[in-house]
Short mmCIF file of all heavy atoms in Angstrom, two decimals:
data_model
loop_
_atom_site.label_atom_id
_atom_site.label_comp_id
_atom_site.label_asym_id
_atom_site.label_seq_id
_atom_site.Cartn_x
_atom_site.Cartn_y
_atom_site.Cartn_z
N GLY A 429 2.35 11.64 1.63
CA GLY A 429 2.65 12.51 2.79
C GLY A 429 2.85 13.95 2.41
O GLY A 429 2.95 14.33 1.26
N TYR A 430 2.93 14.73 3.46
CA TYR A 430 3.10 16.19 3.36
C TYR A 430 4.33 16.59 4.17
O TYR A 430 4.51 16.11 5.30
CB TYR A 430 1.84 16.88 3.90
CG TYR A 430 1.95 18.37 4.08
CD1 TYR A 430 1.70 19.25 3.03
CD2 TYR A 430 2.26 18.91 5.32
CE1 TYR A 430 1.80 20.64 3.21
CE2 TYR A 430 2.36 20.28 5.50
CZ TYR A 430 2.13 21.12 4.45
OH TYR A 430 2.22 22.49 4.61
N THR A 431 5.14 17.50 3.62
CA THR A 431 6.35 17.94 4.29
C THR A 431 6.12 19.16 5.17
O THR A 431 5.55 20.16 4.67
CB THR A 431 7.43 18.31 3.24
OG1 THR A 431 7.60 17.21 2.37
CG2 THR A 431 8.75 18.65 3.93
N LEU A 432 6.56 19.08 6.40
CA LEU A 432 6.66 20.23 7.27
C LEU A 432 8.09 20.78 7.09
O LEU A 432 9.03 20.23 7.62
CB LEU A 432 6.41 19.82 8.73
CG LEU A 432 5.04 19.21 9.03
CD1 LEU A 432 4.99 18.70 10.47
CD2 LEU A 432 3.90 20.22 8.74
N ALA A 433 8.19 21.85 6.33
CA ALA A 433 9.52 22.39 5.96
C ALA A 433 9.99 23.37 7.05
O ALA A 433 9.60 24.54 7.08
CB ALA A 433 9.45 23.09 4.60
N SER A 434 10.86 22.87 7.93
CA SER A 434 11.30 23.67 9.06
C SER A 434 12.08 24.90 8.60
O SER A 434 12.13 25.91 9.33
CB SER A 434 12.20 22.82 9.96
OG SER A 434 11.51 21.77 10.56
N GLU A 435 12.67 24.83 7.42
CA GLU A 435 13.51 25.95 6.98
C GLU A 435 12.69 27.17 6.55
O GLU A 435 13.22 28.29 6.48
CB GLU A 435 14.39 25.51 5.79
CG GLU A 435 15.28 24.34 6.07
CD GLU A 435 14.52 23.00 5.96
OE1 GLU A 435 13.38 23.00 5.44
OE2 GLU A 435 15.12 21.99 6.40
N GLU A 436 11.40 26.98 6.31
CA GLU A 436 10.59 28.09 5.79
C GLU A 436 9.51 28.60 6.72
O GLU A 436 8.93 29.65 6.48
CB GLU A 436 9.89 27.68 4.50
CG GLU A 436 10.74 27.71 3.26
CD GLU A 436 9.89 27.75 2.01
OE1 GLU A 436 9.17 28.76 1.79
OE2 GLU A 436 9.91 26.75 1.26
N HIS A 437 9.26 27.87 7.84
CA HIS A 437 8.09 28.21 8.64
C HIS A 437 8.40 28.20 10.11
O HIS A 437 9.23 27.40 10.59
CB HIS A 437 6.95 27.28 8.32
CG HIS A 437 6.64 27.19 6.86
ND1 HIS A 437 5.93 28.16 6.17
CD2 HIS A 437 6.92 26.25 5.92
CE1 HIS A 437 5.86 27.83 4.92
NE2 HIS A 437 6.43 26.66 4.72
N SER A 438 7.71 29.00 10.88
CA SER A 438 7.85 29.01 12.33
C SER A 438 7.30 27.73 12.93
O SER A 438 6.48 27.04 12.29
CB SER A 438 7.11 30.21 12.93
OG SER A 438 5.70 29.98 12.87
N PRO A 439 7.67 27.38 14.16
CA PRO A 439 7.12 26.14 14.76
C PRO A 439 5.62 26.18 14.90
O PRO A 439 4.93 25.17 14.68
CB PRO A 439 7.84 26.05 16.11
CG PRO A 439 8.37 27.41 16.39
CD PRO A 439 8.67 28.01 15.04
N THR A 440 5.06 27.34 15.23
CA THR A 440 3.61 27.46 15.35
C THR A 440 2.93 27.23 14.02
O THR A 440 1.91 26.53 13.91
CB THR A 440 3.24 28.83 15.92
OG1 THR A 440 3.88 29.02 17.19
CG2 THR A 440 1.72 28.94 16.11
N ALA A 441 3.48 27.79 12.96
CA ALA A 441 2.94 27.59 11.62
C ALA A 441 3.03 26.11 11.21
O ALA A 441 2.11 25.57 10.59
CB ALA A 441 3.66 28.49 10.61
N LEU A 442 4.14 25.46 11.52
CA LEU A 442 4.28 24.04 11.18
C LEU A 442 3.24 23.20 11.86
O LEU A 442 2.69 22.26 11.25
CB LEU A 442 5.68 23.57 11.59
CG LEU A 442 6.84 24.13 10.79
CD1 LEU A 442 8.20 23.76 11.43
CD2 LEU A 442 6.78 23.70 9.32
N VAL A 443 2.91 23.51 13.08
CA VAL A 443 1.84 22.76 13.80
C VAL A 443 0.50 23.00 13.10
O VAL A 443 -0.29 22.02 12.89
CB VAL A 443 1.76 23.17 15.27
CG1 VAL A 443 0.56 22.58 15.97
CG2 VAL A 443 3.03 22.74 16.00
N GLU A 444 0.21 24.21 12.67
CA GLU A 444 -1.01 24.53 11.98
C GLU A 444 -1.03 23.79 10.62
O GLU A 444 -2.08 23.24 10.20
CB GLU A 444 -1.14 26.03 11.75
CG GLU A 444 -1.35 26.80 13.05
CD GLU A 444 -1.25 28.28 12.85
OE1 GLU A 444 -0.90 28.74 11.71
OE2 GLU A 444 -1.48 29.05 13.82
N HIS A 445 0.10 23.77 9.94
CA HIS A 445 0.16 23.03 8.63
C HIS A 445 -0.11 21.54 8.84
O HIS A 445 -0.76 20.89 8.00
CB HIS A 445 1.54 23.23 8.00
CG HIS A 445 1.82 24.67 7.65
ND1 HIS A 445 3.12 25.07 7.38
CD2 HIS A 445 1.02 25.76 7.57
CE1 HIS A 445 3.09 26.39 7.12
NE2 HIS A 445 1.85 26.81 7.25
N ALA A 446 0.40 20.99 9.95
CA ALA A 446 0.18 19.56 10.23
C ALA A 446 -1.28 19.28 10.41
O ALA A 446 -1.82 18.29 9.92
CB ALA A 446 0.95 19.17 11.48
N GLN A 447 -1.98 20.18 11.15
CA GLN A 447 -3.43 19.99 11.33
C GLN A 447 -4.14 20.02 10.01
O GLN A 447 -5.03 19.20 9.73
CB GLN A 447 -3.97 21.12 12.22
CG GLN A 447 -3.56 21.01 13.67
CD GLN A 447 -4.06 22.16 14.50
OE1 GLN A 447 -3.81 23.33 14.15
NE2 GLN A 447 -4.77 21.88 15.55
N ARG A 448 -3.81 20.97 9.14
CA ARG A 448 -4.51 21.12 7.84
C ARG A 448 -4.21 19.96 6.93
O ARG A 448 -5.06 19.48 6.20
CB ARG A 448 -4.11 22.45 7.22
CG ARG A 448 -4.61 23.65 8.03
CD ARG A 448 -4.02 24.93 7.54
NE ARG A 448 -4.45 25.22 6.18
CZ ARG A 448 -3.94 26.20 5.41
NH1 ARG A 448 -2.94 26.93 5.89
NH2 ARG A 448 -4.38 26.45 4.23
N ALA A 449 -2.97 19.46 7.00
CA ALA A 449 -2.64 18.29 6.17
C ALA A 449 -3.42 17.06 6.60
O ALA A 449 -3.88 16.29 5.75
CB ALA A 449 -1.14 18.02 6.22
N GLU A 450 -3.56 16.91 7.90
CA GLU A 450 -4.35 15.73 8.40
C GLU A 450 -5.81 15.88 7.94
O GLU A 450 -6.41 14.90 7.50
CB GLU A 450 -4.27 15.64 9.91
CG GLU A 450 -5.04 14.48 10.50
CD GLU A 450 -4.85 14.35 11.98
OE1 GLU A 450 -4.99 15.35 12.70
OE2 GLU A 450 -4.59 13.21 12.44
N GLU A 451 -6.36 17.06 8.08
CA GLU A 451 -7.75 17.29 7.66
C GLU A 451 -7.95 17.05 6.16
O GLU A 451 -9.02 16.57 5.76
CB GLU A 451 -8.18 18.70 8.02
CG GLU A 451 -8.28 18.98 9.54
CD GLU A 451 -8.36 20.44 9.85
OE1 GLU A 451 -8.33 21.27 8.91
OE2 GLU A 451 -8.46 20.77 11.06
N ALA A 452 -6.88 17.33 5.38
CA ALA A 452 -6.99 17.15 3.92
C ALA A 452 -6.92 15.72 3.53
O ALA A 452 -7.27 15.37 2.35
CB ALA A 452 -5.89 17.95 3.25
N GLY A 453 -6.43 14.86 4.35
CA GLY A 453 -6.38 13.42 4.05
C GLY A 453 -5.03 12.83 3.75
O GLY A 453 -4.92 11.69 3.29
N PHE A 454 -3.93 13.60 4.04
CA PHE A 454 -2.60 13.03 3.85
C PHE A 454 -2.41 11.88 4.83
O PHE A 454 -2.95 11.91 5.96
CB PHE A 454 -1.52 14.08 4.08
CG PHE A 454 -1.38 15.06 2.94
CD1 PHE A 454 -2.12 16.26 2.91
CD2 PHE A 454 -0.54 14.80 1.87
CE1 PHE A 454 -2.01 17.16 1.86
CE2 PHE A 454 -0.39 15.69 0.83
CZ PHE A 454 -1.12 16.89 0.82
N ASP A 455 -1.58 10.91 4.43
CA ASP A 455 -1.39 9.74 5.26
C ASP A 455 -0.33 9.93 6.33
O ASP A 455 -0.42 9.28 7.42
CB ASP A 455 -0.97 8.53 4.39
CG ASP A 455 -2.01 8.13 3.36
OD1 ASP A 455 -3.19 7.94 3.78
OD2 ASP A 455 -1.68 7.99 2.18
N PHE A 456 0.66 10.75 6.06
CA PHE A 456 1.73 10.96 7.03
C PHE A 456 2.35 12.31 6.83
O PHE A 456 2.15 12.98 5.83
CB PHE A 456 2.78 9.82 6.95
CG PHE A 456 3.63 9.87 5.74
CD1 PHE A 456 4.90 10.47 5.73
CD2 PHE A 456 3.21 9.29 4.53
CE1 PHE A 456 5.69 10.47 4.60
CE2 PHE A 456 3.99 9.33 3.39
CZ PHE A 456 5.24 9.92 3.42
N LEU A 457 3.14 12.69 7.82
CA LEU A 457 3.88 13.93 7.79
C LEU A 457 5.36 13.60 7.88
O LEU A 457 5.77 12.70 8.61
CB LEU A 457 3.54 14.84 8.98
CG LEU A 457 2.05 15.26 9.13
CD1 LEU A 457 1.84 15.82 10.49
CD2 LEU A 457 1.67 16.25 8.05
N SER A 458 6.19 14.37 7.19
CA SER A 458 7.66 14.33 7.41
C SER A 458 8.12 15.73 7.76
O SER A 458 7.70 16.72 7.14
CB SER A 458 8.36 13.86 6.12
OG SER A 458 9.76 13.95 6.31
N VAL A 459 8.96 15.82 8.78
CA VAL A 459 9.47 17.11 9.21
C VAL A 459 10.98 17.11 9.09
O VAL A 459 11.64 16.15 9.45
CB VAL A 459 9.00 17.47 10.62
CG1 VAL A 459 9.46 16.46 11.65
CG2 VAL A 459 9.43 18.89 11.02
N SER A 460 11.56 18.19 8.58
CA SER A 460 12.99 18.28 8.42
C SER A 460 13.66 18.72 9.72
O SER A 460 13.03 19.39 10.56
CB SER A 460 13.35 19.24 7.27
OG SER A 460 12.70 20.48 7.46
N ASP A 461 14.93 18.40 9.85
CA ASP A 461 15.70 18.76 11.05
C ASP A 461 16.91 19.55 10.58
O ASP A 461 17.88 18.99 10.05
CB ASP A 461 16.12 17.50 11.80
CG ASP A 461 17.09 17.82 12.91
OD1 ASP A 461 17.14 18.97 13.40
OD2 ASP A 461 17.89 16.93 13.30
N HIS A 462 16.88 20.88 10.79
CA HIS A 462 17.98 21.74 10.42
C HIS A 462 18.34 22.68 11.55
O HIS A 462 17.47 23.08 12.34
CB HIS A 462 17.60 22.58 9.19
CG HIS A 462 18.00 21.95 7.89
ND1 HIS A 462 18.56 22.67 6.88
CD2 HIS A 462 17.90 20.68 7.44
CE1 HIS A 462 18.83 21.85 5.84
NE2 HIS A 462 18.42 20.64 6.18
N TYR A 463 19.62 23.07 11.62
CA TYR A 463 20.01 24.16 12.53
C TYR A 463 19.94 25.49 11.80
O TYR A 463 19.63 26.51 12.40
CB TYR A 463 21.42 23.94 13.07
CG TYR A 463 21.73 24.77 14.26
CD1 TYR A 463 21.50 24.26 15.55
CD2 TYR A 463 22.20 26.06 14.17
CE1 TYR A 463 21.75 25.03 16.68
CE2 TYR A 463 22.48 26.84 15.25
CZ TYR A 463 22.23 26.32 16.52
OH TYR A 463 22.48 27.11 17.65
N HIS A 464 20.20 25.46 10.50
CA HIS A 464 20.15 26.66 9.64
C HIS A 464 19.22 26.37 8.46
O HIS A 464 19.16 25.21 8.00
CB HIS A 464 21.54 27.03 9.08
CG HIS A 464 22.54 27.39 10.07
ND1 HIS A 464 23.80 26.76 10.20
CD2 HIS A 464 22.52 28.37 11.04
CE1 HIS A 464 24.48 27.33 11.16
NE2 HIS A 464 23.73 28.28 11.71
N PRO A 465 18.63 27.40 7.90
CA PRO A 465 18.01 27.23 6.57
C PRO A 465 19.13 27.15 5.54
O PRO A 465 20.29 27.52 5.80
CB PRO A 465 17.17 28.49 6.38
CG PRO A 465 17.87 29.54 7.21
CD PRO A 465 18.47 28.77 8.40
N TRP A 466 18.76 26.74 4.34
CA TRP A 466 19.79 26.71 3.27
C TRP A 466 20.20 28.12 2.86
O TRP A 466 21.38 28.44 2.72
CB TRP A 466 19.23 25.98 2.05
CG TRP A 466 18.81 24.57 2.29
CD1 TRP A 466 17.52 24.11 2.39
CD2 TRP A 466 19.64 23.41 2.44
NE1 TRP A 466 17.51 22.76 2.62
CE2 TRP A 466 18.78 22.32 2.62
CE3 TRP A 466 21.02 23.22 2.41
CZ2 TRP A 466 19.30 21.03 2.81
CZ3 TRP A 466 21.51 21.94 2.60
CH2 TRP A 466 20.65 20.87 2.81
N VAL A 467 19.19 28.99 2.67
CA VAL A 467 19.47 30.40 2.38
C VAL A 467 18.62 31.25 3.28
O VAL A 467 17.55 30.81 3.76
CB VAL A 467 19.17 30.72 0.88
CG1 VAL A 467 20.10 29.97 -0.05
CG2 VAL A 467 17.70 30.43 0.51
N SER A 468 19.08 32.47 3.54
CA SER A 468 18.42 33.31 4.54
C SER A 468 16.98 33.65 4.18
O SER A 468 16.13 33.86 5.04
CB SER A 468 19.20 34.60 4.72
OG SER A 468 20.50 34.33 5.21
N GLU A 469 16.66 33.66 2.87
CA GLU A 469 15.30 34.00 2.43
C GLU A 469 14.29 32.97 2.94
O GLU A 469 13.12 33.32 3.13
CB GLU A 469 15.27 34.04 0.89
CG GLU A 469 13.95 34.52 0.32
CD GLU A 469 13.59 35.95 0.72
OE1 GLU A 469 14.51 36.77 0.93
OE2 GLU A 469 12.38 36.25 0.85
N GLN A 470 14.72 31.76 3.22
CA GLN A 470 13.78 30.77 3.76
C GLN A 470 13.33 31.16 5.16
O GLN A 470 12.19 30.98 5.53
CB GLN A 470 14.44 29.40 3.75
CG GLN A 470 14.63 28.85 2.34
CD GLN A 470 15.56 27.68 2.25
OE1 GLN A 470 16.13 27.21 3.24
NE2 GLN A 470 15.80 27.20 1.02
N GLY A 471 14.25 31.67 5.99
CA GLY A 471 13.86 32.44 7.14
C GLY A 471 13.67 31.77 8.47
O GLY A 471 13.48 32.41 9.49
N HIS A 472 13.68 30.43 8.54
CA HIS A 472 13.39 29.73 9.81
C HIS A 472 14.30 28.54 9.99
O HIS A 472 14.98 28.10 9.08
CB HIS A 472 11.95 29.31 9.89
CG HIS A 472 11.00 30.44 10.15
ND1 HIS A 472 10.78 30.97 11.39
CD2 HIS A 472 10.19 31.11 9.31
CE1 HIS A 472 9.91 31.93 11.31
NE2 HIS A 472 9.52 32.05 10.04
N SER A 473 14.28 27.98 11.20
CA SER A 473 14.90 26.68 11.46
C SER A 473 14.67 26.33 12.92
O SER A 473 15.62 26.29 13.74
CB SER A 473 16.39 26.71 11.11
OG SER A 473 16.86 25.39 10.88
N PRO A 474 13.43 26.06 13.32
CA PRO A 474 13.13 25.75 14.71
C PRO A 474 13.64 24.38 15.11
O PRO A 474 13.94 23.52 14.26
CB PRO A 474 11.59 25.79 14.74
CG PRO A 474 11.16 25.47 13.37
CD PRO A 474 12.22 26.08 12.48
N PHE A 475 13.73 24.15 16.43
CA PHE A 475 14.19 22.86 16.96
C PHE A 475 13.12 21.82 16.74
O PHE A 475 12.02 21.89 17.25
CB PHE A 475 14.48 23.03 18.45
CG PHE A 475 15.19 21.89 19.09
CD1 PHE A 475 16.41 21.48 18.64
CD2 PHE A 475 14.63 21.23 20.18
CE1 PHE A 475 17.09 20.43 19.26
CE2 PHE A 475 15.28 20.17 20.81
CZ PHE A 475 16.50 19.79 20.33
N VAL A 476 13.49 20.82 15.96
CA VAL A 476 12.49 19.88 15.49
C VAL A 476 11.79 19.09 16.60
O VAL A 476 10.59 18.81 16.54
CB VAL A 476 13.10 18.89 14.45
CG1 VAL A 476 14.08 17.94 15.11
CG2 VAL A 476 12.02 18.07 13.73
N TRP A 477 12.52 18.78 17.68
CA TRP A 477 11.94 17.92 18.71
C TRP A 477 10.91 18.71 19.51
O TRP A 477 9.90 18.11 20.01
CB TRP A 477 13.02 17.36 19.61
CG TRP A 477 14.04 16.66 18.80
CD1 TRP A 477 15.32 17.06 18.49
CD2 TRP A 477 13.89 15.37 18.12
NE1 TRP A 477 15.95 16.18 17.67
CE2 TRP A 477 15.08 15.12 17.42
CE3 TRP A 477 12.82 14.47 18.04
CZ2 TRP A 477 15.28 13.98 16.66
CZ3 TRP A 477 13.01 13.34 17.26
CH2 TRP A 477 14.22 13.09 16.60
N SER A 478 11.03 20.01 19.65
CA SER A 478 10.00 20.83 20.27
C SER A 478 8.78 20.94 19.37
O SER A 478 7.62 20.80 19.81
CB SER A 478 10.52 22.23 20.58
OG SER A 478 11.64 22.18 21.44
N THR A 479 9.03 21.13 18.09
CA THR A 479 7.93 21.21 17.13
C THR A 479 7.11 19.92 17.14
O THR A 479 5.89 19.96 17.07
CB THR A 479 8.50 21.47 15.70
OG1 THR A 479 9.23 22.71 15.72
CG2 THR A 479 7.37 21.60 14.67
N LEU A 480 7.79 18.79 17.21
CA LEU A 480 7.06 17.48 17.19
C LEU A 480 6.14 17.36 18.37
O LEU A 480 5.08 16.74 18.26
CB LEU A 480 8.08 16.34 17.16
CG LEU A 480 8.70 16.06 15.83
CD1 LEU A 480 9.89 15.12 15.97
CD2 LEU A 480 7.67 15.42 14.87
N GLY A 481 6.51 17.92 19.53
CA GLY A 481 5.59 17.91 20.67
C GLY A 481 4.30 18.61 20.35
O GLY A 481 3.20 18.11 20.70
N GLY A 482 4.40 19.78 19.67
CA GLY A 482 3.22 20.47 19.28
C GLY A 482 2.39 19.73 18.27
O GLY A 482 1.16 19.69 18.36
N VAL A 483 3.04 19.10 17.31
CA VAL A 483 2.34 18.31 16.26
C VAL A 483 1.61 17.15 16.91
O VAL A 483 0.49 16.81 16.54
CB VAL A 483 3.34 17.84 15.19
CG1 VAL A 483 2.67 16.86 14.25
CG2 VAL A 483 3.89 19.02 14.43
#
Side-chain angles (χ1 to χ4, degrees):
Y430 170 85
T431 306
L432 300 173
S434 296
E435 302 81 11
E436 279 200 68
H437 307 284
S438 73
T440 302
L442 292 170
V443 172
E444 293 171 354
H445 298 164
Q447 289 177 305
R448 294 170 64 191
E450 181 176 47
E451 292 167 358
F454 285 91
D455 298 309
F456 71 96
L457 302 167
S458 174
V459 60
S460 53
D461 171 25
H462 268 224
Y463 197 92
H464 296 125
W466 301 105
V467 295
S468 299
E469 186 63 31
Q470 291 165 1
H472 285 281
S473 204
F475 190 58
V476 69
W477 305 106
S478 301
T479 302
L480 281 167
V483 172

